[in-house]
Amino acid sequence: MSNPAVEETSVDVLAVAPHPDDVEITCGGTLAKLVKLGYRVGIIDLTSGEPTPRGTPEIRAAEAEAARAVLGVQVRLNLNLPNRVLMDVPENRFVLATAFRRWKPRIVIGLAGRTPAASPDHHQGHLLIEASRFYSQLTKWDDRFEGTLPYRIPFLVYATFPFDAEVRHWHSTFVVDISDTFEIKLKAVQCYESQFDATRFERVRHGLTGHAITQGSRCGFAYGELFALPSPVGTSDLVALVCGAKGTSSAPVALPNQPPPPLH
Ligand SMILES: [Zn+2]
């Protein structure tokens, strides 16, 4: 939902996906956790997600707003690009890049992956997010971005689909511990009653729980969400990377190759 009063503000982290409910399903626990940590978080839905059998644009907008409130995310915007036929084309890049220039995120979390048994919008959204990040920084094109100034987004992170077609070997994957926000994630997904009636929500809850346990347990967490980076992590200090950034935390990073704590 567009709120001009908040569009001009900046955010630390901006999560972008084609349909309302995509970010909740893939990274809702992480967004809720970021808010708890004090970061300013935004969500951009590229389309209304409509038409669907039991939804309307108004219902989906109300559900998205309810989910935003559950997650505690500060701002949410729908760009109203065309659902079902979303494409990575220049006109759509201009729209998303304009939002990037206004919100100036430090990190964009973009939904990524191919979903052959689900909407083709997901893969096109992935391409569109990458292209729009590139466009956001371009000079001498301000007229294509409603007069906004160029902005370079420092970091792009991929939120991965559990059912990505390619079972990718993503670069630099990492898992965020969402043990204390997993229930919030489920509550946010449950806001989309038009998409998940009681029976379907139980199936979704079952799948999301299994996936979060699987990813979390790889790093010793009760529940986790898997992310990836578009390039390998670089470091000049192996110890600092492995043990945690100097001066910011004494707690070690839970690396994927670190076994979970012993049970006894
Ligand atoms: Zn979707």
Side-chain angles (χ1 to χ4, degrees):
M1 44 223 54
S2 175
N3 181 345
V6 299
E7 279 184 37
E8 302 301 329
T9 64
S10 61
V11 293
D12 296 302
V13 180
L14 178 58
V16 185
H19 313 120
D21 77 13
D22 284 338
V23 299
E24 287 84 354
I25 288 171
T26 55
C27 61
T30 297
L31 299 186
K33 182 136 191 169
L34 287 166
V35 172
K36 278 176 178 275
L37 291 171
Y39 295 107
R40 186 169 169 80
V41 180
I43 295 173
I44 285 182
D45 304 304
L46 297 173
T47 80
S48 70
E50 290 299 311
T52 60
R54 298 196 310 122
T56 68
E58 293 74 24
I59 289 173
R60 289 298 282 278
E63 291 171 344
E65 169 58 17
R68 181 202 63 75
V70 167
L71 296 175
V73 166
Q74 289 89 349
V75 287
R76 185 167 201 156
L77 176 69
N78 195 307
L79 295 183
N80 288 311
L81 299 177
N83 182 47
R84 294 184 172 175
V85 290
L86 181 68
M87 296 296 290
D88 172 31
V89 294
E91 290 72 21
N92 292 342
R93 295 173 182 175
F94 298 150
V95 174
L96 181 55
T98 300
F100 286 161
R101 286 170 166 228
R102 289 199 166 119
W103 286 25
K104 299 179 177 56
R106 292 163 61 194
I107 299 172
V108 164
I109 299 177
L111 196 70
R114 289 181 50 237
T115 56
S119 171
D121 294 349
H122 299 142
H123 182 50
Q124 289 297 319
H126 176 172
L127 301 176
L128 179 56
I129 290 162
E130 289 175 338
S132 302
R133 180 202 183 201
F134 179 78
Y135 275 25
S136 176
Q137 69 196 332
L138 297 180
T139 59
K140 301 181 179 176
W141 251 17
D142 296 350
D143 58 321
R144 297 172 196 242
F145 307 110
E146 300 180 9
T148 54
L149 296 176
Y151 174 71
R152 181 178 174 83
I153 299 167
F155 300 104
L156 172 65
V157 173
Y158 297 131
T160 60
F161 261 113
F163 38 94
D164 180 11
E166 299 180 3
V167 192
R168 292 167 197 247
H169 297 284
W170 295 96
H171 281 298
S172 306
T173 59
F174 60 94
V175 174
V176 174
D177 181 2
I178 60 163
S179 302
D180 61 346
T181 55
F182 180 64
E183 289 301 322
I184 295 174
K185 171 192 177 100
L186 288 181
K187 281 194 177 68
V189 174
Q190 198 167 18
C191 290
Y192 294 93
E193 291 179 58
S194 69
Q195 306 304 300
F196 309 116
D197 59 18
T199 303
R200 191 148 184 235
F201 179 72
E202 281 312 307
R203 277 213 314 272
V204 169
R205 178 207 294 272
H206 181 75
L208 290 179
T209 301
H211 187 66
I213 290 173
T214 299
Q215 295 304 332
S217 65
R218 297 170 69 201
C219 297
F221 309 143
Y223 299 98
E225 285 174 338
L226 177 70
F227 294 87
L229 299 172
S231 59
V233 171
T235 185
S236 58
D237 186 338
L238 183 145
V239 173
L241 175 68
V242 173
C243 298
K246 287 176 182 171
T248 59
S249 170
S250 58
V253 174
L255 291 176
N257 62 354
Q258 180 175 327
L263 295 174
H264 53 78

